[in-house]
Amino acid sequence: MSERDYDHTAIEERWQTAWADADVYRTPDDAENPTYVLGMYPYPSGKLHMGHVRNYTITDAYARYRRMTGDEVLHPMGWDAFGLPAENAAKERDTNPRDWTMDCIGTMREQMRSMGFGYDWDREIATCTPEYYKWNQWLFERFHEEGLVERRDAEVNWCPNCETVLADEQVEGEAELCWRCGTPVVQRELEQWFLRITEYADELLEAIDDLEGWPNSVRQMQRNWIGRQYGAEIDFEIEDHGPVTAFTTRIDTINGATFFALAPDHPISERLAEESEEVRRFVEEEADPEGDEPNGVSTDLTATNPATGEEIPVYVADFVLSDVGTGALMAVPGHDERDHAFAQKHDVEIKPVIAPEPEGWDGETVPDAPDVGEEAYTEDGVLVNSGEYSGLDSETARARITEEIETAEESTQYQLRDWGISRQRYWGTPIPVVHCHDDCGAVMVPEEELPVELPEFVNTTGNPLDAAEEWKETTCPACGGPAERETDTMDTFVDSSWYFLRYISPDLETAPFDRDRANDWMPVDQYVGGIEHAVMHLLYSRFFTKVLADHEGLEHREPFTNLLAQGMVQLEGEKMSKSKGNTVSPQRIVEEYGADTARLFMMQAAQPERDFDWSEEGVRSTYAFLDRLKGMVDGFVENEPDGERNAVASYVESEIDATVAIATDEYDTLRFNEALRETQGLVRTLRQYAEYTEPHAGTYGHGLSAVVRLLAPVAPHLAEELWEELEGEGFVVEADWPDAEIDRDRVEKRRQLVENTRKDVRDIVEVAGIEDPQAIDVVIAPDWKYDALEIAIDSDADNLIGELMGEDHIREQGDAAADYGQDLQTEREALSMTLDPEEEHDALEAAAWLLEREFDAPVEVVRAEGADEEVVRKAEPGRPAIHIEN
RNA sequence: GCGAGGGUGGCUGAGCUUGGCCAAAAGUGGCGGGCUUAAGACCCGCUCCCGUAGGGGUUCGAGGGUUCAAAUCCCUUCCCUCGCACCA
């Protein structure tokens, strides 16, 4: 780096201090409906990585943009501070999770400050503080009061060595090993606390349709996750075991149900396993629900098909899952691929009962049965071999069969399960429950005793809360007798399901959030984060918001209006990760190039939702751009130019307006890369201007001032520095966004006209082999052609020429009018309005210097009157005639 | 298998929602030129084929269709990426 490089470290520190001293990012409590911009709060690992930098640069840039356009903005930050890594780190380093986490928070806060992120730090929250998690507990009890909390047995992943439950993500590989100690994980039944999110399944699903500000992918993932299916439940009578309920979406195929299948852990299967060695061996040894092959074992039992009255064999099969439907199913091999495969393997009858609907079907004739020997027919169709139902279409048949079979009834199934929040961990929110040694059972801790605080950390295997004897021992709030505290803590997703509400009133001591203010400030206008939270966090947050709307007077049913799932920062096409060792440290980039460079490089590299490759070269050229810009501003301020306000200046003025108009649009829709490209284009134009001629100070200064403000959301430090040089006072953070009177359509037409004209001149010079042009005339079409064009666009007459000749001033043009009319007629369907003649003239005159510079010949832009007849003839609206003197 | 999103000029990548200056933005790479003692930076042009006055031809995964007109709309087909998945 040469000596000209600007001192980014000094500049960035200077402005970070100035912003903090002036408290510029504070959102006062009396703000009215501020724009709420939020990035997903981080887990405080102690190190900001590139993903964070990208995430928070997006929100910061948007927040700054909105602030400059005059909005009040709420842009807070906090810490997802509970979680397993802190517990592990504490064990390794012989400290405790609290101290370790608080240290990490301190470091990361400082790193964020050095990136120049403008947060209202007075609203900072950390979920591991009793002031925060007290409200997790309070909410848990409110949910309980509303019947949305349940305690029941559940099967969980259990590591016998660590003596704790593991989340599915923490079980590794096919062999199912514990991610920490490599011990094989076992399934274990444990009493767990659940939040009844399934109560809201329908609303969570249906409201997705209205989340128009969310990416389709996320919406679809949530729909799949909820997985609602309409069908029917129906009982099959099994000898000695009574009725067994099966769920099916295809009750129209019931006449083709030729066997019945039970999950290996269905109560009947378990009973059979006790009696039959074969079933026992299958259930305990052979069943492989993960495998592709549908395996099963026959039983001696039969079930009665309620439609046909036939006795059909009963199998225990591993493709039947106990947590899907009822854990028992009627198998229809003729119309289900999996059932078909199983039936072939076990030689069960395959009976077609649905035929494809014949073309031009009359709605009653019973078609021939299809051949389902080789392959199941899985579509809807027309029933055959179905007794009185034969001849009905599938949909009608489903309704009638459900209606007419005694035990059948409509049923809706969801894939969504209730949310098990119990974790056998220390570093989380204690579940505020006491287990009475007498008969009171699980009793909620009274509200006035909240928060139930975590005891001191004990380094032990298993759950430290279990080892905290003194803490555990308590009295029952109901009967006063001896009791024990619940030792499970909450899933950290509980913390993040409502943190966005806490920022609104972070110090409130009487409620989780200030209701009135929340009603005013919510929902979050723009939420930004990684796609990995597409389902869990975003679904849980929606659930909490709906519960709070129903029971706590929140007047919003959705938390996030617009959601942006930002893309990954990659290195050579691969995701950056510690294990691959291909990370780029933001700290190093900030030291070497400054936060502004890092931010600007990232924002211009790609649209925020796309992945992009980190490139050191790109970073260097971004730095060079900022450096040059600083040089331009320095030069301008030190030595103000005194050029004329001439045609060239007016070209530059119009380019400034164009840039502002376009960049503003792009900022609005978070397409920072486009906005920045325009801005950099304007810098280039300004540089060309200064190179070509002595600039007009007002114009040039105006351009620089616009550039600085357009850049301010993304490169705020240097923008402050340059703003100070240009304006002398005030923060650019608080400056007004530049405005342009111009509309985008007009801007683009003008640029197009100039660009086309330059290209035409080049073509002519090239094709005609003109070595050294002496003079270039650019001639605007006469007014009557513009009139004719307008008439042609509006006209729907068959004979356009006739209509044109109806206008005196056009008819007067004689042959010329006829010729042009003919052209219009040919192009008729494709015509579009151009700028008017005066605008075209002005635009070209302003851009004439570009041609003069390029061809080193005088350029004259003239109106049709007074130009050579022969030349004018070729001029059309949007396309001036060009004459080159050789 | 189901669902979502894609396939554009050497590469990256806009545009396709609202068909028409789209041979198709921008960047990058390559070529030529300017500036410079020189290098870098910066500036200008070219970069599908043909063309001595702004023209013509062939292109936007493949094939078909709608239209005066399709990268853009419809159908079929192939391939890629990402979610979900023995879901009854």
Side-chain angles (χ1 to χ4, degrees):
Chain A
M1 286 181 210
S2 78
E3 63 217 282
R4 268 201 53 215
D5 292 349
Y6 79 97
D7 185 350
H8 56 262
T9 309
I11 289 178
E12 292 183 356
E13 272 170 18
R14 174 177 177 211
W15 291 105
Q16 282 157 16
T17 305
W19 292 329
D21 289 349
D23 216 5
V24 293
Y25 305 112
R26 176 92 184 108
T27 310
D29 284 343
D30 60 4
E32 261 180 55
N33 190 19
T35 299
Y36 192 169
V37 182
L38 188 64
M40 292 182 185
Y41 68 171
Y43 177 78
S45 60
K47 236 187 203 163
L48 213 55
H49 61 242
M50 279 300 174
H52 291 130
V53 174
R54 191 176 191 196
N55 191 160
Y56 304 140
T57 301
I58 294 168
T59 52
D60 193 50
Y62 189 63
R64 287 171 183 275
Y65 163 67
R66 295 299 294 254
R67 193 176 281 117
M68 288 176 77
T69 58
D71 288 11
E72 288 198 90
V73 167
L74 173 62
H75 186 220
M77 181 45 72
W79 312 98
D80 184 14
F82 271 138
L84 204 47
E87 223 167 304
N88 295 337
K91 284 185 180 180
E92 277 165 33
R93 279 154 241 230
D94 201 26
T95 169
N96 68 77
R98 177 174 292 101
D99 292 347
W100 188 81
T101 302
M102 288 307 178
D103 273 4
C104 287
I105 289 177
T107 325
M108 279 179 87
R109 193 191 295 115
E110 181 48 36
Q111 287 169 355
M112 287 184 173
R113 207 185 80 95
S114 78
M115 288 305 308
F117 298 142
Y119 296 122
D120 180 353
W121 286 111
D122 289 352
R123 296 184 181 277
E124 177 183 8
I125 56 165
T127 57
C128 65
T129 59
E131 295 76 41
Y132 187 87
Y133 69 69
K134 169 183 179 178
W135 298 108
N136 281 343
Q137 296 172 343
W138 186 90
L139 288 164
F140 178 85
E141 298 193 347
R142 278 295 288 130
F143 277 47
H144 182 261
E145 265 174 67
E146 301 299 342
L148 294 166
V149 172
E150 207 172 57
R151 183 169 165 80
R152 62 167 183 261
D153 279 341
E155 194 154 277
V156 294
N157 304 307
W158 178 263
C159 172
N161 184 43
C162 307
E163 299 187 323
T164 187
V165 165
L166 300 177
D168 284 343
E169 304 89 291
Q170 294 162 347
V171 179
E172 291 181 339
E174 294 275 302
E176 309 210 314
L177 304 177
C178 170
W179 68 320
R180 277 174 57 201
C181 65
T183 308
V185 167
V186 298
Q187 300 299 301
R188 185 163 165 175
E189 289 260 320
L190 273 185
E191 283 229 275
Q192 300 266 290
W193 290 98
F194 287 87
L195 298 187
R196 300 182 61 194
I197 190 171
T198 52
E199 288 288 300
Y200 282 82
D202 284 316
E203 194 195 340
L204 285 167
L205 178 69
E206 283 155 20
I208 292 171
D209 294 344
D210 299 321
L211 293 176
E212 283 165 15
W214 285 37
N216 279 333
S217 58
V218 174
R219 295 162 81 186
Q220 196 56 38
M221 280 161 81
Q222 294 212 346
R223 286 191 191 103
N224 290 342
W225 188 263
I226 295 168
R228 182 167 71 186
Q229 267 188 316
Y230 293 115
E233 285 190 349
I234 183 166
D235 288 349
F236 279 62
E237 203 56 43
I238 296 185
E239 50 184 320
D240 304 338
H241 293 274
V244 178
T245 307
F247 173 78
T248 178
T249 53
R250 291 297 303 275
I251 202 165
D252 54 317
T253 65
I254 191 164
N255 285 275
T258 52
F259 68 99
F260 196 82
L262 298 166
D265 52 347
H266 192 278
I268 296 179
S269 307
E270 287 176 348
R271 223 173 303 153
L272 291 172
E274 286 166 17
E275 297 159 12
S276 153
E277 173 58 18
E278 246 183 305
V279 174
R280 188 203 62 79
R281 198 171 57 229
F282 177 76
V283 169
E284 290 177 13
E285 291 163 29
E286 288 164 20
D288 174 22
E290 307 292 309
D292 290 336
E293 279 287 297
N295 300 309
V297 62
S298 65
T299 68
D300 297 334
L301 302 176
T302 58
T304 313
N305 182 326
T308 62
E310 283 171 45
E311 292 300 312
I312 58 175
V314 175
Y315 288 84
V316 175
D318 63 2
F319 68 84
V320 186
L321 307 176
S322 58
D323 60 347
V324 175
T326 60
L329 60 83
M330 65 171 215
V332 185
H335 304 283
D336 180 277
E337 282 170 25
R338 189 202 44 225
D339 296 349
H340 192 273
F342 189 88
Q344 281 190 319
K345 200 166 156 183
H346 293 265
D347 214 17
V348 183
E349 185 195 358
I350 300 172
K351 178 179 163 194
V353 291
I354 305 286
E357 184 178 312
E359 238 171 273
W361 185 52
D362 60 7
E364 41 190 302
T365 310
V366 180
D368 292 338
D371 177 8
V372 289
E374 288 305 309
E375 203 174 36
Y377 174 72
T378 59
E379 308 283 300
D380 274 10
V382 181
L383 274 70
V384 299
N385 296 333
S386 298
E388 55 175 311
Y389 301 108
S390 293
L392 293 178
D393 63 272
S394 289
E395 201 181 324
T396 310
R398 282 196 284 270
R400 279 198 35 197
I401 293 170
T402 309
E403 173 87 2
E404 289 169 19
I405 292 185
E406 185 89 12
T407 65
E409 57 183 40
E410 283 185 7
S411 167
T412 306
Q413 293 283 323
Y414 301 87
Q415 212 157 293
L416 182 70
R417 298 284 105 120
D418 277 334
W419 174 16
I421 60 160
S422 296
R423 298 290 180 268
Q424 289 65 39
R425 295 291 178 193
Y426 169 78
W427 196 228
T429 304
I431 293 175
V433 166
V434 163
H435 298 283
C436 180
H437 286 325
D438 296 330
D439 297 327
C440 307
V443 183
M444 294 291 137
V445 172
E447 190 182 330
E448 58 278 9
E449 288 175 28
L450 298 182
V452 174
E453 290 200 43
L454 285 167
E456 282 303 304
F457 179 67
V458 186
N459 192 340
T460 172
T461 52
N463 185 350
L465 289 186
D466 252 338
E469 295 293 346
E470 250 178 75
W471 174 85
K472 213 162 84 173
E473 204 173 295
T474 184
T475 51
C476 171
C479 69
E484 214 172 75
R485 289 195 185 280
E486 167 70 60
T487 56
D488 285 354
T489 52
M490 295 182 198
D491 183 359
T492 55
F493 277 117
V494 173
D495 314 357
S496 56
S497 293
W498 68 280
Y499 78 109
F500 45 86
L501 283 160
R502 189 65 186 168
Y503 287 132
I504 288 168
S505 47
D507 302 319
L508 189 66
E509 286 176 7
T510 54
F513 58 90
D514 182 304
R515 187 181 302 168
D516 289 341
R517 205 180 300 151
N519 285 338
D520 186 31
W521 289 12
M522 282 291 284
V524 174
D525 294 281
Q526 183 64 57
Y527 198 35
V528 181
I531 189 76
E532 66 273 18
H533 293 113
V535 177
M536 312 259 253
H537 162 57
L538 291 168
L539 192 65
Y540 297 149
S541 298
R542 295 181 60 221
F543 166 50
F544 263 58
T545 302
K546 290 178 192 306
V547 174
L548 293 172
D550 284 341
H551 303 295
E552 279 299 310
L554 184 64
E555 287 168 7
H556 304 281
R557 300 197 72 84
E558 288 289 344
F560 315 121
T561 306
N562 294 295
L563 173 70
L564 175 80
Q566 109 252 14
M568 280 189 301
V569 182
Q570 305 178 319
L571 201 62
E572 286 160 356
E574 288 200 72
K575 183 184 175 156
M576 284 190 189
S577 76
K578 258 187 266 168
S579 56
K580 284 198 204 110
N582 64 340
T583 56
V584 175
S585 148
Q587 284 70 51
R588 194 204 98 214
I589 302 298
V590 169
E591 277 167 31
E592 230 170 285
Y593 303 97
D596 285 338
T597 298
R599 297 169 53 131
L600 178 56
F601 168 67
M602 281 194 159
M603 292 296 98
Q604 67 170 32
Q607 291 180 14
E609 48 274 272
R610 297 191 93 98
D611 297 344
F612 79 94
D613 259 22
W614 183 267
S615 134
E616 199 73 18
E617 203 184 320
V619 175
R620 273 196 291 273
S621 88
T622 302
Y623 186 81
F625 166 79
L626 289 176
D627 193 39
R628 263 180 274 129
L629 176 64
K630 179 154 196 323
M632 283 169 76
V633 173
D634 290 349
F636 172 74
V637 172
E638 280 160 25
N639 190 3
E640 215 168 88
D642 62 352
E644 296 285 301
R645 182 170 208 143
N646 53 14
V648 185
S650 96
Y651 173 83
V652 172
E653 279 292 355
S654 64
E655 276 303 302
I656 295 169
D657 285 348
T659 303
V660 169
I662 294 171
T664 303
D665 272 6
E666 303 296 354
Y667 264 113
D668 259 331
T669 51
L670 299 140
R671 283 189 298 205
F672 306 106
N673 58 324
E674 302 286 337
L676 295 167
R677 192 179 81 198
E678 278 295 326
T679 306
Q680 297 193 345
L682 178 57
V683 173
R684 178 186 283 205
T685 302
L686 292 171
R687 200 177 310 120
Q688 290 168 339
Y689 177 34
E691 206 162 273
Y692 180 72
T693 182
E694 178 77 5
H696 170 245
T699 302
Y700 194 65
H702 175 209
L704 289 173
S705 154
V707 165
V708 166
R709 281 175 292 165
L710 294 177
L711 233 36
V714 177
H717 310 88
L718 185 63
E720 282 303 353
E721 187 79 10
L722 300 182
W723 186 250
E724 186 186 44
E725 287 188 39
L726 289 169
E727 305 291 330
E729 60 180 36
F731 286 110
V732 75
V733 181
E734 293 171 336
D736 288 337
W737 190 252
D739 54 9
E741 306 289 301
I742 253 169
D743 81 291
R744 200 166 163 165
D745 181 54
R746 192 175 290 271
V747 161
E748 271 154 18
K749 280 202 167 100
R750 201 186 57 220
R751 283 183 169 181
Q752 193 70 53
L753 173 71
V754 170
E755 206 34 64
N756 286 348
T757 306
R758 291 177 68 191
K759 194 151 177 52
D760 282 346
V761 173
R762 267 176 223 138
D763 275 358
I764 293 168
V765 168
E766 163 79 20
V767 174
I770 300 170
E771 294 268 314
D772 183 21
Q774 295 304 302
I776 301 171
D777 288 345
V778 175
V779 185
I780 309 298
D783 290 357
W784 67 266
K785 284 194 179 172
Y786 291 84
D787 295 341
L789 174 63
E790 194 172 350
I791 290 166
I793 289 170
D794 292 343
S795 162
D796 51 8
D798 288 338
N799 182 359
L800 177 59
I801 312 252
E803 181 155 343
L804 290 176
M805 293 308 174
E807 297 288 321
D808 290 349
H809 73 293
I810 293 175
R811 189 176 56 243
E812 277 166 16
Q813 305 300 325
D815 285 354
D819 288 352
Y820 185 55
Q822 196 57 54
D823 290 350
L824 289 174
Q825 178 70 44
T826 317
E827 295 287 305
R828 193 147 171 203
E829 310 287 344
L831 298 173
S832 65
M833 214 38 221
T834 61
L835 299 175
D836 66 44
E838 269 318 298
E839 283 176 309
E840 291 205 352
H841 179 271
D842 294 349
L844 289 168
E845 191 158 76
W849 65 285
L850 293 167
L851 285 169
E852 293 192 346
R853 185 184 59 167
E854 188 173 340
F855 296 97
D856 196 23
V859 172
E860 194 152 2
V861 179
V862 292
R863 296 181 172 80
E865 313 83 66
D868 179 19
E869 193 87 6
E870 273 309 297
V871 178
V872 178
R873 182 175 281 268
K874 285 194 220 158
E876 288 175 19
R879 183 156 220 215
I882 295 163
H883 180 73
I884 300 172
E885 206 79 43
N886 201 342

